[in-house]
Amino acid sequence: MSSISTPITKELIAQHGLSDDEYQQILTHLGREPNLTELGVFSVMWSEHCSYKSSRVHLKRLPTEGERVVQGPGENAGAVDIGDGLAAVFKIESHNHPSFIEPFQGAATGVGGILRDIFTMGARPIALLDSLRFGELDVAKNRHLLKGVVSGISWYGNCIGVPTIGGEIAFNDIYSKNPLVNVFCLGIVEKDKLLKGLAQGVGNPVLYIGAKTGRDGIHGATMASDSFDDQSDAKRPNVQVGDPFLEKLLLEVCLEFLEKDLLIGIQDMGAAGLTSSSCEMASRSNTGIELDVAHVPCREPNMTPYEMLLSESQERMLLVAKPGKQEEVIAICHKWGIDAAIIGKVTDDGMLRIKEHGATVAEIPAKALAEEGPRYERPIQAPQYQEMLQSLLVDNLPDVKNPADVLLQLLRSPTIASKQWVSRQFDHMVGTNTMVRPGSDAAVVRIKGTNKALAMTTDGNSRYCLLNPYIGGTLAVAEAARNLACSGAIPIGVSDCLNFGNPERSDVMWQFVVALEGISDACRHLNIPVVSGNVSFYNETNGLSIYPTPVLGMVGLIEPAHLVTTQWFKHAGDQIVQLGETNEDLGGTEYLKLIHNREQGNPPWLDLDREQALQRLLIQSIRQELLESAHDCSEGGLAVTLSECCLSHPFQPLGASIQLDQKRLRVDALLFGESPSRAIVTVSPQNMKSFLNIAQEQGVSASIIGEVGGTELSISVVAESKTEIGKLNLPVETLTEAWSLSFEQHMNQ
């Protein structure tokens, strides 16, 4: 039975993930009943994954403009001006659902997709980062998922020759059935040569280039817009298969098009494949596109228009050539061994018209698919359990009796422990741009031909966002910006990946909207524009949603490049300074979860003025070459931060002697609390006076707390009476063993 004659029943509509109201909207747009192919096209384009129907009305509150912004949200990726006629193009995307079903290919194709988003803009990718969330590693399934995802990321990135230079991983049981795989990519392009996804010029040819189309990934976007249950493995056919070697050729082809100025527009065939790329290009340009799918290169026999339009086969692009340039485009593709075919043309009637051997099989207004889909302001209500989550009487918890034992437990925690097991699977030096490898606050790449470097980080804390979504959102932005500042970089742009549960639940929508407000307020205050991003809803299995997990991929500029600063101690005799103040902030800490099995309390309140002053101090001091090292204080508090400063030197770990004033705080709050707007820096004695003067000018608390040197980390907590009330004294060798071997030991269970 053909797609044109297939009756459209209520069951068929429901199978396509469309509600009755949405089907009525389709009837209004078409003025008639859709056929099966048209129903499939609407189903993928109106899926949550493609249409952002639950989030779009709220995303408008993000600050997206700034003096450096070259391209904001709405294109394949965002772009910011970095000077010297260059722009940094970057974006972060999720591939969560596919990575649970098939971890290797799900993660690999996530990398492939984000790479295409970058080189579609004409930029050569030079760096990848990831942000991952998994269930606890004592469960074999979670170890299997992590191994598969890391293998998929490393395989694709290593094969195509783009270094994976940093990232973050956290673990919590809530992610056991909904792991999160977020991938960030950055590329460089000449600012005036940026390509966009446009279909302009009536009659101009529309070309398909790249891999042949197969049946893999059909309804992948719909699958990514649905909750999971115990039968989710049956969706394995919806996961695409990647080919990084073909993508490398595709990358070089696209950059050659740019060099020879052959294109009007180009778009990656990502989620929803040929459908989304064609209708989005037409919609942006206020034009139409006519395609004849009989000309689409296919690798499987007897594929229907429905299958070709909905396939999410990887490594494919749609482009509009300049008049008379189509044969040159095809010749370049053939030179690189890439399939290419003219499959349509630009029209002026605003329609996405699909033909097969000249016969029309689908005809839909392009804007109806790309811009005029459903928009929901879903119910928003704080959950009844929120008050319980925030209630924590710290006084009822025993203070720490053996801080050395607690520190070792924290350093062994997979969320805090060294991630060398992961990073050594990545080629982080390919391309010879990498200046700071994985293991510091931010990864750094040089921009060849300039005296500039770019620092990058991915950050997010889901526990904070669970306990207070607004504060959690602000803290995620602040930590990312602080990581960059500790590296000597001025934050210049951010891409957000917003991972949440089922938006049809009012508590999830409340988490989303409130976290978004926090992100927006922090970005606006710190003057960091959001230039691209991604929303991932329906991270839920059997009615249990993940914690709200916004992840920020942030970029900062270092100029001149030699000012790059790292987190590890450099020289014996350097003095250790704590910037910022420690308060009794135990709510939502890793310490509270690991030692007291509590995920409760209020996250620490963030004073954005204080945070901004700290970042100004860090950047100014680094520019004046006053700092030897700088490290953001975050998970695990001061004790973990100081340990990381001792241990993370790639060649020569160094000890330190520290004395902390109690200031009427609990010992656990002083050592393991996670008060924001703090950093540990080291300063040579001859530079200390100049540094403290700048700290005073910026209004930042700066306390000399110790000195680098020796083979032990010694921390003494002293009361106002000068009595020692807490002592931690551990050999660096013992700390190293706990921190550097723990992750691999967990994975080898």
Side-chain angles (χ1 to χ4, degrees), residues 98-275:
S99 297
F100 176 67
I101 296 171
E102 173 39 66
F104 182 90
Q105 288 295 347
T109 53
V111 174
I114 196 67
L115 283 163
R116 289 194 300 278
D117 282 338
I118 301 308
F119 68 76
T120 296
M121 303 286 290
R124 180 174 291 278
I126 62 169
L128 289 161
L129 289 84
D130 51 44
S131 176
L132 311 175
R133 299 290 184 278
F134 294 93
E136 303 287 0
L137 292 179
D138 56 354
V139 177
K141 172 72 171 178
N142 296 334
R143 297 195 297 274
H144 162 74
L145 289 170
L146 176 58
K147 287 176 182 176
V149 164
V150 171
S151 295
I153 292 172
S154 65
W155 173 71
Y156 208 103
N158 294 355
C159 289
I160 198 171
V162 178
T164 303
I165 60 172
E168 55 145 21
I169 313 178
F171 298 88
N172 192 293
D173 278 336
I174 201 71
Y175 301 106
S176 290
K177 289 187 178 293
N178 287 278
L180 304 183
V181 178
N182 296 175
V183 186
F184 171 97
C185 186
L186 178 141
I188 301 296
V189 67
E190 291 181 38
K191 186 174 65 171
D192 59 354
K193 291 186 177 180
L194 204 65
L195 288 173
K196 298 184 180 181
L198 300 174
Q200 295 174 337
V202 175
N204 281 335
V206 176
L207 290 91
Y208 170 119
I209 69 168
K212 289 181 168 66
T213 295
R215 291 186 170 91
D216 50 327
I218 292 175
H219 276 297
T222 309
M223 179 267 289
S225 307
D226 197 8
S227 299
F228 278 171
D229 55 31
D230 291 331
Q231 279 70 53
S232 294
D233 276 353
K235 297 179 180 178
R236 197 176 297 272
N238 288 334
V239 179
Q240 315 94 316
V241 177
D243 181 349
F245 302 105
L246 179 61
E247 178 132 331
K248 171 62 174 172
L249 301 177
L250 194 61
L251 186 161
E252 299 301 336
V253 162
C254 290
L255 295 182
E256 188 168 340
F257 294 158
L258 173 70
E259 182 184 336
K260 295 182 176 177
D261 195 21
L262 303 179
L263 302 184
I264 285 172
I266 183 169
Q267 179 90 359
D268 166 40
M269 290 191 213
L274 185 56
T275 292

Side-chain angles (χ1 to χ4, degrees), residues 553-570:
M554 194 175 290
V555 177
L557 180 63
I558 303 173
E559 189 175 17
H562 76 270
L563 295 178
V564 170
T565 305
T566 50
Q567 70 181 36
W568 46 83
F569 292 151
K570 305 297 190 303

Side-chain angles (χ1 to χ4, degrees), residues 701-723:
S701 169
S703 307
I704 300 172
I705 60 172
E707 184 175 300
V708 177
T711 59
E712 295 182 332
L713 173 62
S714 174
I715 302 178
S716 174
V717 178
V718 179
E720 287 185 61
S721 62
K722 302 303 179 186
T723 306

Side-chain angles (χ1 to χ4, degrees), residues 36-102:
L36 178 60
T37 298
E38 292 168 332
L39 187 73
V41 166
F42 271 108
S43 77
V44 291
M45 289 307 300
W46 284 11
S47 68
E48 188 71 59
H49 189 72
C50 290
S51 72
Y52 285 26
K53 57 190 174 185
S54 300
S55 61
R56 188 174 290 208
V57 295
H58 303 291
L59 294 172
K60 294 176 182 177
R61 63 189 76 200
L62 291 169
T64 58
E65 297 179 348
E67 60 182 23
R68 289 186 179 271
V69 175
V70 177
Q71 176 63 56
E75 268 291 343
N76 290 291
V80 293
D81 189 340
I82 61 171
D84 290 334
L86 300 175
V89 178
F90 56 92
K91 189 180 185 184
I92 188 168
E93 278 270 10
S94 63
H95 229 223
N96 302 335
H97 284 56
S99 297
F100 176 67
I101 296 171
E102 173 39 66

Side-chain angles (χ1 to χ4, degrees), residues 424-635:
R424 70 174 176 239
Q425 298 184 51
F426 301 146
D427 186 340
H428 38 262
M429 295 303 292
V430 63
T432 66
N433 295 308
T434 308
M435 298 180 71
V436 177
R437 309 179 190 189
S440 195
D441 278 337
V444 182
V445 294
R446 69 173 55 82
I447 307 303
K448 288 177 180 172
T450 75
N451 195 19
K452 305 174 190 291
L454 291 176
M456 288 158 263
T457 184
T458 53
D459 286 290
N461 188 313
S462 59
R463 198 179 302 122
Y464 287 167
C465 289
L466 172 71
L467 300 177
N468 187 317
Y470 180 85
I471 296 177
T474 63
L475 287 169
V477 174
E479 183 178 351
R482 198 182 317 129
N483 281 329
L484 297 181
C486 283
S487 303
I490 298 173
I492 58 174
V494 67
S495 184
D496 58 4
C497 196
L498 308 175
N499 306 273
F500 287 78
N502 186 342
E504 296 166 45
R505 287 174 39 182
S506 60
D507 59 327
V508 170
M509 278 308 297
W510 175 80
Q511 291 172 337
F512 176 79
V513 171
V514 176
L516 194 67
E517 286 177 350
I519 292 169
S520 177
D521 286 351
C523 285
R524 193 168 276 109
H525 195 101
L526 298 175
N527 195 29
I528 308 170
V530 180
V531 298
S532 60
N534 170 239
V535 178
S536 174
F537 276 134
Y538 292 100
N539 293 287
E540 175 187 85
T541 296
N542 293 330
L544 181 65
S545 286
I546 62 164
Y547 290 169
T549 313
V551 173
L552 284 302
M554 194 175 290
V555 177
L557 180 63
I558 303 173
E559 189 175 17
H562 76 270
L563 295 178
V564 170
T565 305
T566 50
Q567 70 181 36
W568 46 83
F569 292 151
K570 305 297 190 303
H571 314 108
D574 285 346
Q575 293 183 289
I576 302 167
V577 182
Q578 176 189 326
L579 301 178
E581 296 184 359
T582 302
N583 300 306
E584 200 154 280
D585 291 315
L586 288 172
T589 58
E590 187 71 12
Y591 161 78
L592 206 64
K593 174 182 181 287
L594 191 68
I595 305 303
H596 295 286
N597 200 29
R598 299 282 192 94
E599 294 186 281
Q600 281 182 282
N602 258 310
W605 180 257
L606 176 68
D607 183 320
L608 284 165
D609 288 328
R610 187 174 294 177
E611 178 68 40
Q612 196 167 35
L614 172 66
Q615 293 181 26
R616 279 198 304 262
L617 169 61
L618 288 164
I619 293 166
Q620 185 177 349
S621 302
I622 290 170
R623 282 184 167 176
Q624 294 186 25
E625 302 190 47
L626 299 177
L627 301 186
E628 301 299 320
S629 71
H631 187 17
D632 160 47
C633 186
S634 53
E635 286 94 350

